[in-house]
Amino acid sequence: MSLDQWLLAGVLLATLVLFLWGRWRHDVVAVAALLASVALGLVPSAEAFSGFAHPAVITVACVLVLSHGLQTSGAVDALVRRVMPGAAGPTLTIAVLTGLGALLSGFMNNVGALALLIPVALQVAARMEVAPARVLMPLAFGTILGGMITLVGTPPNLIVSGFRAEAGLGPFGMFDFTPVGLAVAALGVLFVALVGWRLVPARKPGAEGFETEAYLTEVRVHEDSELAGRCLRDVDEKLRDQDAHVVSLVRHEVRMVAPHPGRRIHAGDILVIQAEAEALAGVLGSLGLKLEEAVAPEEDEGEAVEIASTSKHEVKASKDQEVEEEAPREDEIGLVELAVLPQSSVIGRTPSDIQLRTRYGINLLAISRQGRRSATRLRATPLRAGDVLLMQGSPEAISEFAANAGCVPLAERALTIPDRRKAILATGIMGMAVAAATLGVPAALAFAAGVLLSLLVRTVALRQVYQSVDWPVVVLLAALIPVAGAMQATGLAGLVAQFMVDTLAQGHVIVALLLILVVTMMLSDLMNNAATAAVMCPIAIGIAGQLGVNVDTFLMAVAVGASCAFLTPIGHQNNTLILGPGGLRFGDYWRLGLPLEVLVVAVAVPMLLIVWPL
């Protein structure tokens, strides 16, 4: 190996380790890998940011904007209303819901498709008295499978197409992925609906709807409370009837975890109580406690702080003015549970940073996080993807926060069409963009034209264009494309391919194809699927060159493998999104995910050999 190959191998190894570690976001790690490659002379400085002009990156951004138009116009709600069976059993209902998710994901962002269908899934689970996880996990897996059907279904397909074009073979067409992708997705959905959903752990089956793990809630003991001066032991006895208990006590900003049962409670103390959402009212009423809102101490005195660059307007009025002018009536105040999406702008920020009360006039009452207790105060707890937030405020204020911050409501919602005209236009524009790409117009141009048309007819508001783009994914792709190109330029991809062919596959073509599919699936379970595709494409091209066979067969294997992350909640954003609403744990995914991945391999390899013969 040459010095450049050793250096690039070191950069890639460090990148993979950081991806798996998960301490930093994938886009930050990707940019660090790009800059390291430029500093080491592996990527020419003039080409460092060429990835931002790559057709795959442009197409991903445009598809996200068009998907946003479909979501906000009510087009998807109309489809759900027509398709979902009214009183069918679990098998048929899960089959229809999962199939619908797969179909939508073939033409729009799969995270958006899942976010739209989560409230439907929770409603269905409650109606059928089935554990929510048994509906949510099949739905999430279905939306992942559906991305394999078309060129624009998922970013890995666009990455694979881009590498084919760079290899001098031209990009893949819109429906080149369909024969293999549709076969895998259809059989996957059938397996999930007929058998797979029963493999998902049912944490607390019954009619109570979806189960998040118990909330951690902070309550303040005021001077008039009957608890002032009593022991914690007395509190736990009272809370036992509410299925709640005290996990810690805060006094003078000092937190005491698992305090001694004999410790006396003082007025002004804050009790951190673990309780279900339905029990909160009973806890407060029976103990005479006051909720401690998750706001910063200085929030009442200072000006509002922007939650993200996508805010609608800057709040400069004082709190007194806001209360006087904008405070909702008491009968309009309600509780809503929001799930934090993987691309949410609040991830990594604390409730204190966000300043919900000053900016939106709402309160964060509690956080649910798969049963793990935070060692910090509620207002100082960094939020994570998959968290479920219990919000208090007017429906309008909570909806505005959810839209700006990237959260999805978990409550049942009516499937209405906000604007029939916009729904028809948004569907038509997406259809025309797909048709143009099918007829040979470059996908980036076809979907960019669709975005422009959407702006002209106002199916997407101008201020929503940049809000609807998942920028971490865009930056990730743009940063890794030059690094992946360096794998080919330095010859490292060829060396890895030769090792896999000679040592592992020992010259057997089908074994090599199986190997590239399985390795891609394994990496996709552990890190971002777009990053997996960018790393594996040069290796797949190298293996096909070593064996002298059809490059398309191996590139399609990468596309399938990168879209099959079913073993962990971190492999795909959709797996992360259902973690909180489903009350799932890290080790729950493989129970359904492992047999599904085995099925994918069993179906994909023969289909690849038939559709893309060696």
Side-chain angles (χ1 to χ4, degrees):
M1 289 179 63
S2 66
L3 177 61
D4 283 352
Q5 291 170 343
W6 278 111
L7 291 174
L8 184 57
V11 171
L12 290 175
L13 180 61
T15 302
L16 291 176
V17 170
L18 291 174
F19 276 148
L20 299 179
W21 186 26
R23 178 67 179 272
W24 293 297
R25 273 187 358 194
H26 286 161
D27 54 324
V28 176
V29 174
V31 171
L34 173 62
L35 295 179
S37 299
V38 172
L40 295 173
L42 304 173
V43 174
S45 57
E47 301 177 8
F49 300 106
S50 60
F52 286 95
H54 196 280
V57 177
I58 302 299
T59 306
V60 168
C62 292
V63 169
L64 290 172
V65 175
L66 294 180
S67 297
H68 184 75
L70 290 174
Q71 296 174 45
T72 57
S73 67
V76 176
D77 281 349
L79 180 61
V80 172
R81 175 187 290 174
R82 292 177 179 274
V83 171
M84 285 301 298
T91 299
L92 178 59
T93 302
I94 292 175
V96 172
L97 185 62
T98 305
L100 179 60
L103 176 64
L104 292 175
S105 296
F107 300 95
M108 64 181 291
N109 175 249
N110 47 22
V111 177
L114 177 62
L116 284 171
L117 294 176
I118 279 181
V120 181
L122 295 175
Q123 178 185 355
V124 164
R127 175 175 61 81
M128 299 186 302
E129 298 186 358
V130 172
R134 289 190 160 184
V135 181
L136 288 174
M137 188 177 291
L139 174 60
F141 286 0
T143 56
I144 295 173
L145 287 167
M148 291 188 282
I149 298 176
T150 67
L151 172 67
V152 298
T154 184
N157 289 1
L158 292 164
I159 293 294
V160 169
S161 179
F163 274 96
R164 187 180 192 269
E166 292 174 3
L169 301 175
F172 283 117
M174 174 62 67
F175 295 104
D176 284 347
F177 296 84
T178 304
V180 177
L182 183 60
V184 173
L187 290 176
V189 169
L190 283 176
F191 168 74
V192 165
L194 296 176
V195 179
W197 66 272
R198 295 178 172 87
L199 303 177
V200 181
R203 294 295 173 200
K204 293 180 181 179
E208 66 269 21
F210 84 91
E211 288 286 339
T212 55
E213 295 290 339
Y215 281 105
L216 290 180
T217 308
E218 294 184 357
V219 292
R220 183 177 293 275
V221 179
H222 54 80
E223 295 181 357
D224 298 333
S225 173
E226 61 179 273
L227 298 182
R230 302 184 68 175
C231 297
L232 281 171
R233 184 182 298 107
D234 298 333
V235 178
D236 279 329
E237 289 179 359
K238 284 181 171 290
L239 293 179
R240 192 173 294 117
D241 295 335
Q242 307 287 344
D243 290 327
H245 64 279
V246 176
V247 298
S248 62
L249 181 146
V250 179
R251 179 174 296 166
H252 305 307
E253 299 300 322
V254 177
R255 182 186 179 105
M256 291 171 275
V257 179
H260 190 277
R263 182 177 292 276
R264 295 202 173 273
I265 300 171
H266 298 166
D269 285 351
I270 295 173
L271 303 180
V272 181
I273 296 177
Q274 190 173 35
E276 298 294 338
E278 294 81 1
L280 286 178
V283 169
L284 297 177
S286 63
L287 300 180
L289 298 174
K290 179 182 178 182
L291 280 168
E292 176 68 2
E293 297 162 352
V295 297
E298 64 274 10
E299 182 175 349
D300 291 343
E301 302 171 6
E303 293 183 348
V305 175
E306 292 294 336
I307 187 172
S309 58
T310 57
S311 325
K312 291 184 177 180
H313 59 277
E314 184 175 1
V315 179
K316 293 185 178 179
S318 67
K319 180 188 172 187
D320 292 340
Q321 291 173 323
E322 288 182 353
V323 171
E324 181 180 349
E325 298 173 7
E326 302 179 10
R329 298 192 309 270
E330 185 174 350
D331 59 356
E332 295 177 340
I333 298 297
L335 297 179
V336 176
E337 288 168 304
L338 302 178
V340 179
L341 292 171
Q343 70 271 23
S344 171
S345 61
V346 301
I347 292 176
R349 306 181 68 185
T350 67
S352 178
D353 296 333
I354 298 171
Q355 297 194 358
L356 294 169
R357 187 169 62 184
T358 303
R359 194 191 187 299
Y360 292 98
I362 59 180
N363 296 318
L364 172 62
L365 302 184
I367 300 174
S368 176
R369 180 175 294 164
Q370 297 82 55
R372 291 193 296 268
R373 299 176 185 172
S374 172
T376 60
R377 292 287 307 280
L378 180 63
R379 70 188 186 201
T381 302
L383 301 180
R384 300 179 187 173
D387 283 352
V388 179
L389 313 179
L390 184 64
M391 313 297 296
Q392 180 191 50
S394 68
E396 294 79 10
I398 295 177
S399 296
E400 180 184 1
F401 165 73
N404 286 353
C407 298
V408 57
L410 299 182
E412 177 182 338
R413 59 174 183 160
L415 299 180
T416 57
I417 301 178
D419 192 319
R420 182 180 179 85
R421 171 182 167 275
K422 286 186 177 181
I424 295 174
L425 287 174
T427 305
I429 291 171
M430 176 64 84
M432 287 190 291
V434 170
T438 304
L439 295 175
V441 178
L445 293 178
F447 286 92
V451 171
L452 179 60
L453 185 58
S454 297
L455 294 176
L456 292 176
V457 300
R458 299 183 182 277
T459 58
V460 177
L462 183 61
R463 59 180 172 78
Q464 295 177 336
V465 172
Y466 297 105
Q467 297 179 23
S468 58
V469 176
D470 188 354
W471 290 108
V473 172
V474 170
V475 173
L476 170 75
L477 293 176
L480 284 184
I481 286 174
V483 177
M487 292 180 65
Q488 293 177 307
T490 61
L492 179 62
L495 284 178
V496 175
Q498 185 175 1
F499 170 77
M500 295 180 71
V501 169
D502 296 342
T503 305
L504 301 179
Q506 297 185 350
H508 297 288
V509 178
I510 296 180
V511 175
L513 181 64
L514 180 64
L515 189 63
I516 199 76
L517 174 60
V518 172
V519 170
T520 305
M521 291 174 70
M522 290 175 59
L523 287 178
S524 188
D525 280 317
L526 299 172
M527 66 185 206
N528 182 275
N529 56 1
T532 299
V535 171
M536 293 302 297
C537 278
I539 297 174
I541 293 172
I543 290 177
Q546 292 282 339
L547 295 171
V549 296
N550 189 359
V551 173
D552 291 341
T553 313
F554 283 81
L555 285 177
M556 281 292 176
V558 171
V560 172
S563 295
C564 294
F566 304 125
L567 298 184
T568 68
I570 62 175
H572 195 281
Q573 291 177 318
N574 285 10
N575 292 350
T576 306
L577 182 54
I578 64 170
L579 194 60
L584 291 162
R585 300 172 185 170
F586 194 98
D588 290 339
Y589 288 77
W590 71 269
R591 299 171 186 268
L592 172 57
L594 183 58
L596 183 57
E597 289 198 355
V598 172
L599 176 66
V600 167
V601 173
V603 174
V605 172
M607 287 299 299
L608 287 169
L609 295 174
I610 294 171
V611 179
W612 303 95
L614 296 168

